[in-house]
Amino acid sequence: MTTPEAGFHQSPVTPASLPGEAAHADLVARLAREIYGQGQALSEPFAPALPASALPSPAPASLAIPGLDGAAFAALVPGGPDLLRRIAQDHPRAASFAEAIAPGFLPAPPAAPSRLAPAAPGAALGAPDYYFLPAEPRSVPVLPVATAFDPERVRKDFPALHQSVNGHRLVWLDNAATTHKPQSVIDATSRFYAHDNSNIHRAAHTLAARATDAFEGGREAVRRFLNARSTDEIVFLRGTTEAINLVANAYGRANFGPGDEIVLSQIEHHANIVPWQMVAQATGATLRVIPVNDRGELLLDQFAALLSGRTKIVAVTQVANALGTVNPIPEIIGLAHAYGVPVLVDAAQSSPHMPLDVQALDADFLVFSGHKVFGPTGIGALYGKKHLLDAMPPWQGGGHMIEDVTFARTVYRGVPEKFEAGTPDIGGAVGLGAALDYLQGVGLPAIAAYEHGLLDYAQGGLAEIRGLRLIGTAHHKASVMSFVIEGQENAAIAQHLDRHGIAVRAGHHCALPALRRFGVSESVRASLAFYNTREDVDVFLAALRTLPRR
Ligand code: PMP
């Protein structure tokens, strides 16, 4: 057992002090107090396990707790290992914490084809315990794991951030709409067009082979990012919208009929409402909606009550784009699967902010867009369990998705080509692969922890702006601050901020039902990414304080 750091509380948490099941929440709170010595109480055993703001900076190198070892924890606390896994899943920064107090209880890292390399010694709390090296050498270098998350260091990688707008340093707080691209993505894309450009698969020449390798390398990067079992489960599409349309049409039209039900939540993006509505109209199915409370959190008991033998699919977002709510996807999937109902996870807003693992989640479908994960526009991906994709008919027909064509009939190829009719966005797939490599190099657990602290800081500042009402105050939130200010037009607020070089969005954010739940049809939305800093937030808050009174 390693030596505790200075300031580390020595009072032992002994197995005898853990009376059993009922002590879980107390135990976690106590461990947090033992480690951080801040009297930090945790409101729930799982969800917001360790607010990043409660963590010391720099983080202690060792979190070992005298008097508590993993085996004792497992033996004496029923559900102990499960508890730790859940904490680790729900709050990535807690992963190191959980691993430190009970080594060996976290899920094993995914196996081959990746080679695992150990994290740098002394890696900060929140940095991943391991990272992936590609199975094959790729043209895009994998960045070394950061020993501590440094926003100033990553900002240097994003050329678009270093410009002035209206005479001010650009402060980009429109990340929920789209993100900027690191130089490695720009380079990978331009290298593809400058050097390897060709259509894929069809021609037997050198550039076709290179382009095919580059395209399929992008697919492998997506597989690795999502921890899918196979690249056969990854379909390249234009983005989240097209991916949901594919599932709604290919899966929905084959499986839905009159009286069947499609369950969505009240806080979905229009992209996760309209395609289902269209397929419902075509098949006679109906939409059922999971309501939210006044903080914008899904009411899980009402969700459970909606499920029945009629339910044919559940489609929910992991992070709500207008409110920032992080939905409890593991619980949602667990409940739906108890009824044998597949779940589509809209990861458009979660993918830039938290680690994803389709196998750990047991997601049936998961969709995301390249442009929100620091990659190009016009490319995104659908993950689908292979047996579901295999059973689905193609949606669009054309070249590349066929084995054989006669005027009498067509024989389709297998997955994923069956769903990729026509020439795909080859350069986009290359850029997306580079973006995902970049994100994994920086480390999503570290990103999640950093952004959590930044969001707390920004929301604390917003609470002091007179007349400002934050819409979406979930306990578990990511990245998004939606608000209105009494007596101010939303568009006028956005224009005022733009005059100060600050980019935010004003409007309905393609989530009208979500906003209407809170009595508005528009808001101002500021949204963070890991390249935003406290200085960005300070500039934003200062500009809000100078809004002309109307
Ligand atoms: N779902 C969510 C939650 C989103 O935030 C968005 C984009 N704003 C979409 C779906 C649609 O993504 P895209 O426009 O990239 O297809």
Side-chain angles (χ1 to χ4, degrees), residues 112-113 223 227-231 233 358-359 362 383 385-386:
R223 186 207 65 73
N227 191 32
R229 284 172 201 81
S230 151
T231 47
E233 297 178 316
V358 290
Q359 292 189 63
D362 201 17
Y383 158 82
K385 281 182 180 162
K386 179 140 185 325

Side-chain angles (χ1 to χ4, degrees), residues 175-178 238-244 267-272 316-322 346-350 367-372 377-380 509-511 525:
N175 293 290
T178 202
R238 277 197 297 125
T240 305
T241 302
E242 192 174 34
I244 296 172
I267 53 175
E268 298 305 316
H269 188 281
H270 297 163
N272 203 24
V316 281
T317 193
Q318 190 164 22
V319 171
N321 74 311
D346 176 348
Q349 292 295 343
S350 57
V367 297
F368 73 101
S369 295
H371 69 102
K372 298 204 202 269
T377 50
I379 185 82
H509 319 304
C510 299
R525 182 184 67 184

